[in-house]
Amino acid sequence: MPYSRLQFVFQGDLGPFNPGLPVEVPVWLAINLKQRQKCRLIPPEWMDVEKLEEIRDRERKEDTFTPMPSPYYMELTKLLLNYASDNIPKADEIRTLVKDTWDTRIAKLRLSADSFVRQQEAHAKLDNLTLMEINTTGTFLTQALDHMYKLRTNLQPGESAHSQDF
Amino acid sequence: MSEAYFPVDPGLGPEENFLSLDDILMSQEKLPGRAESALPRLAFALGQGAGTGDSIPEGSKLEIPLWLAKGLHDSKRRIISVELPKIYKEAWRTVFSADANVVDLHKMGPYYYGFGSQLLNFDNPENPEIAQTILQTFISRFRRIMDSSQNAYNEDTSALVARLDELERALFRAGQKGLNDFQCWEKGQASQITASSLVQNYGKRKFTDMDG
């Protein structure tokens, strides 16, 4: 993409930047300013040990996926902890908590994928999944379901579609 | 880490997929059969006798590849009849329904699912049971493939895939790619630009061409 187009995409007014006053800016700008040591980052409200513990416990307790504080919780945690860990209190604990929550959710995702396949369901509803989570198992799951669908059409002889689709 | 080309999935049905390499390899798997009528001068072509003029008497046993069996099998003109390979027979079907995870599907014929689906072409009375067993086998082996492919990071996977059939191995690779891509992101390597595997392989291929 040419640079001029990129500028067009990221258009908008930001600021005013006054020393000592908090201002809301996009993540990319915040990190850029932080790297040049022009600002101090204020972590989002949910990036807090107590809140994250609560989220983790709820995630462990419930069978379904609980809503996450941000659809990009993994990405944000990683970026902020990498570039601004000095501005975030208890950064290490937060890292562990988010990782725990992630692991719980992935285990849950696998469990539900397995029962989905086992019961030969045709459709399912998965709420509150983030893109990052979908991406890690997406290809695998869709491929497996594809195979299963074809094997299932074998059960009805004569009706199988003579398809050469790819 | 991206693939140099996108492999075409096997057809997994009575029709094979013309462009799938797996299906092409699968079509030359051997199938037991029997000659329903005398086949003069065909012994050589069917790999039975040594001389070109030998004929196959009626009722003799044959071992022919799937593609040939499909061509010769005709329910009206009875030229050959096809028998089930033993892993699709009832004894093995019971084993699969007991615990499909213990079976070494790679040894039992590396294209278990595709080959089994092709067998449905031969109007066998056991067809519904075969189709059902294949589906159930896939379902019960699914969990293990998913778990092992998503947990084995940076380790030797040859022991994990040794007992998987070719279809399952492709699935395993898909799971591994998801895991590896995620780990790559987590370690911050995703933002580094690397040479495409296509370019890397292109260089290698050139060298081997010069050798040969």
Side-chain angles (χ1 to χ4, degrees), chain B residues 65-76:
Chain B
L66 174 72
W67 59 269
L68 193 56
K70 263 173 94 177
L72 288 177
H73 180 79
D74 187 336
S75 50
K76 292 185 203 88

Side-chain angles (χ1 to χ4, degrees), chain A residues 78 110 137 140 154 162 164, chain B residues 17 117 150 171 185-186:
Chain A
K78 183 177 146 73
R110 271 195 227 145
T137 44
F140 177 83
N154 280 345
H162 294 259
Q164 287 281 328
Chain B
N17 203 337
S117 308
Q150 305 254 292
L171 214 57
W185 171 80
E186 210 173 45

Side-chain angles (χ1 to χ4, degrees), chain A residues 74-76 78-79 82 99 102 106-107 109-115 117-120 132 135-137 139-141 143-158 160-166, chain B residues 8-19 113 116-117 120 128 131-136 138-143 145-147 149-151 167 170-172 174-179 182-183 185-188:
Chain A
M74 279 296 276
E75 292 92 324
L76 280 176
K78 183 177 146 73
L79 283 173
N82 267 5
K99 185 86 185 121
W102 164 269
I106 290 296
L109 183 59
R110 271 195 227 145
L111 197 73
S112 61
D114 181 50
S115 65
V117 165
R118 218 163 267 281
Q119 290 159 24
Q120 299 190 34
M132 194 58 133
N135 252 337
T136 46
T137 44
T139 342
F140 177 83
L141 193 63
Q143 254 190 47
L145 292 181
D146 233 20
H147 293 327
M148 199 174 81
Y149 169 73
K150 286 186 196 156
L151 289 176
R152 203 154 53 169
T153 32
N154 280 345
L155 293 179
Q156 293 119 23
S160 54
H162 294 259
S163 62
Q164 287 281 328
D165 50 340
F166 33 81
Chain B
V8 177
D9 278 342
L12 272 194
E15 288 295 313
E16 53 207 351
N17 203 337
F18 184 75
L19 292 175
Y113 300 103
S117 308
L120 303 175
Q132 185 66 38
T133 311
I134 296 173
L135 176 64
Q136 283 303 332
F138 183 78
I139 290 172
S140 40
R141 287 167 71 98
F142 170 77
R143 180 74 203 244
I145 300 167
M146 176 169 65
D147 285 353
S149 72
Q150 305 254 292
N151 279 323
L167 186 84
L171 214 57
F172 185 89
Q176 281 267 286
K177 190 175 182 309
L179 175 76
F182 174 71
Q183 296 288 350
W185 171 80
E186 210 173 45
K187 287 195 293 186

